Amino acid sequence: MTHPHAAEALQATAIAGIAVILIAGTALAHAARRIRQPAVIGEITAGILLGPSLLGLLPGDPTDRLFPDEVRPLLSMVAQIGLLLFMFTVGWELDWTTMRRRKSSVAGVTAGSILAPMLLGLGVAALIYHNHAHVNGEKVPFSSFALYLGVSMSITAFPVLARILKDNNLSRTKIGALALTSAAFGDVLAWCLLAGVVAIVTASGPSGFTDTLWMSAGYGAAMIAVVRPLLARAVAWTSRRGTGLYLATLVTAGILLSAYTTSKIGIHPIFGAFAFGLVMPRRPTALLEEKMLRPIQHAGELMLPVYFIVTGLSVDVAGMSLTAWGELGLILAAAIVGKLFGAGLPAKSFGLTWRESTGVGVLMNTRGLTELIILGVGLSLGVLNQTLFTEMVLMALITTAMTGPLLPFVLPRSRMDLVAGPAKASPLVRIPGPVDEQASDLAG
């Protein structure tokens, strides 16, 4: 049993650590924005710098003093809640009404941007598996390892991409709409694939996997047939009364209960939060944005930076060997080439120029926080060891950071402004407004 004074000391250390996290994350996020990078680049960098890669190398190991092993479960809990709130907003921001009206070009870019990097990821997995076959003394089945690496390669971060498009005046161009809509579809498909991989990894044999599938199907049916109508009635009642005083609180409780349910089923809690966002009503938009979405986003903004530090504590750049750097080069090549060709070639086949289709491929290389979430799941499940986790985090950082600087070269400013005017703005995706900008900033 923990002594009361010891427990208070741990809480005080956690409080001080969170303060440092918020200061470092805010400072580096601001610095990233100053050099026209998504804020997530600065926040990821802050997490890495506060971990063993830099701060831990200083005399006295300040990382261990700020974030001792006993405190990390407390930080992980805060990070997990911030992550669940973020995943809810991702699900809620997907506009299913407009996403149903798609063209074949969107389907082609979506499929290509998922399949090409996934196949290359499977190839990379075959080449590097022997170096990462054991995690914490346990052998990782090659099928689980390869599938996880393939799915990780296929990610595009929808919220971060929305922010990059806005910053580069591409939101209302045909290239921007194509990339953003394809990323939205790709996000849904990638989460479904990841849920399947997680079910395979966590299942205890074929019967366990079958049970997980049945329970997941039942959960999905209950969310659509029971939870969604109840939420619609609750929102309608709130709208009639003209108040939403407790709406954010009740929705947050629903997010946590949904996350708990998916965790008990055998898939990660993030899928529960994401699914709750999908079934949450979108109307009346003004009321929901003011009384529900904004409070949840603001709470997430305070807690989510802790996730970057928890992630950074598992990233050890200083400890990477020459072999690890070689693997990073291979991973980067597969991730970048897979997106460039997987998204670019379908875009070219549907009438875009080579330069425009290359721009789509560059945009689809944005990974950001979405990639970190998937990698964090892999680390917690014991599919990725610390070395490979570090390599994959660096891949996410580099591919996201390169998007903004490359756009002026593949799409010169004059071309970026003339790709499509407001009259040709695609109806395929809801262009981010003020509330969407907050969600995008929360992720990058």
Side-chain angles (χ1 to χ4, degrees):
M1 182 175 178
T2 305
H3 192 278
H5 293 298
E8 289 178 6
L10 287 178
Q11 291 173 7
T13 303
I15 291 170
I18 292 173
V20 172
I21 289 168
L22 294 176
I23 293 170
T26 301
L28 288 180
H30 177 70
R33 301 290 294 160
R34 295 275 292 180
I35 58 174
R36 298 184 62 80
Q37 286 289 344
V40 71
I41 295 297
E43 292 169 326
I44 296 173
T45 303
I48 294 174
L49 295 181
L50 289 177
S53 298
L54 180 64
L55 193 63
L57 299 176
L58 299 179
D61 193 1
T63 295
D64 188 60
R65 288 179 176 275
L66 277 172
F67 314 110
D69 291 339
E70 298 83 0
V71 166
R72 295 184 186 186
L74 300 176
L75 297 178
S76 295
M77 189 67 254
V78 174
Q80 190 68 234
I81 294 175
L83 185 58
L84 294 177
L85 296 181
F86 169 75
M87 289 303 301
F88 167 79
T89 63
V90 172
W92 194 81
E93 288 291 331
L94 292 178
D95 192 337
W96 289 103
T97 302
T98 56
M99 284 179 66
R100 283 194 289 265
R101 300 192 298 268
R102 298 301 127 205
K103 295 181 179 179
S104 57
S105 58
V106 174
V109 171
T110 301
S113 68
I114 293 285
L115 291 175
M118 181 179 290
L119 291 174
L120 290 176
L122 295 177
V124 170
L127 294 175
I128 68 175
Y129 174 66
H130 64 283
N131 291 332
H132 308 282
H134 291 85
V135 179
N136 300 324
E138 298 288 334
K139 186 170 183 178
V140 181
F142 174 73
S143 57
S144 300
F145 179 83
L147 285 172
Y148 212 94
L149 208 63
V151 172
S152 299
M153 293 281 197
S154 66
I155 292 301
T156 295
F158 171 77
V160 183
L161 178 59
R163 184 70 199 195
I164 290 175
L165 289 171
K166 186 178 186 304
D167 288 346
N168 288 276
N169 298 320
L170 286 171
S171 293
R172 296 187 179 276
T173 66
K174 61 183 179 182
I175 290 177
L178 175 61
L180 193 60
T181 308
S182 299
F185 267 120
D187 256 15
V188 176
L189 181 57
W191 290 122
C192 293
L193 290 171
L194 181 63
V197 174
V198 170
I200 292 172
V201 172
T202 57
S204 54
S207 61
F209 177 65
T210 303
D211 290 343
T212 300
L213 286 182
W214 279 113
M215 287 188 290
S216 299
Y219 162 80
M223 292 294 286
I224 295 172
V226 179
V227 176
R228 186 174 184 178
L230 288 176
L231 287 172
R233 290 182 182 180
V235 171
W237 180 82
T238 301
S239 179
R240 286 195 302 270
R241 291 179 61 90
T243 178
L245 184 61
Y246 302 109
L247 187 57
T249 303
L250 293 175
V251 169
T252 300
I255 294 168
L256 299 179
L257 288 173
S258 182
Y260 170 80
T261 303
T262 55
S263 178
K264 297 299 288 185
I265 288 173
I267 54 180
H268 201 274
I270 60 174
F271 299 110
F274 181 69
F276 200 80
L278 291 178
V279 301
M280 184 72 197
R282 272 68 169 175
R283 301 288 185 272
T285 304
L287 174 69
L288 290 173
E289 287 182 347
E290 180 185 355
K291 300 297 185 180
M292 181 270 293
L293 187 62
R294 285 175 182 162
I296 290 176
Q297 285 179 339
H298 292 159
E301 285 174 348
L302 289 175
M303 289 185 281
L304 194 60
V306 181
Y307 183 80
F308 296 106
I309 303 305
V310 173
T311 300
L313 294 175
S314 299
V315 173
D316 187 6
V317 178
M320 289 179 61
S321 64
L322 188 61
T323 299
W325 285 107
E327 289 179 350
L328 174 59
L330 189 63
I331 289 169
L332 273 172
I336 294 170
V337 171
K339 287 290 186 181
L340 281 176
F341 284 91
L345 290 180
K348 178 66 175 69
S349 69
F350 289 108
L352 270 67
T353 66
W354 279 113
R355 175 164 281 182
E356 291 167 351
S357 59
T358 302
V360 172
V362 169
L363 288 168
M364 296 298 285
N365 257 299
T366 305
R367 288 177 171 87
L369 174 59
T370 308
E371 180 77 10
L372 290 194
I373 295 171
I374 289 179
L375 296 179
V377 173
L379 186 67
S380 66
L381 292 176
V383 179
L384 307 178
N385 60 19
Q386 189 179 62
T387 300
L388 185 56
F389 179 78
T390 297
E391 295 169 14
M392 295 296 288
V393 169
L394 291 177
M395 180 272 289
L397 188 67
I398 293 169
T399 54
T400 305
M402 75 180 197
T403 303
L406 282 179
L407 282 179
F409 292 97
V410 295
L411 295 171
R413 177 58 56 186
S414 58
R415 186 62 178 163
M416 290 166 70
D417 293 336
L418 294 174
V419 171
K424 296 182 180 180
S426 173
L428 302 182
V429 67
R430 182 162 57 90
I431 301 302
V435 174
D436 301 278
E437 291 178 34
Q438 294 176 17
S440 300
D441 281 332
L442 181 60

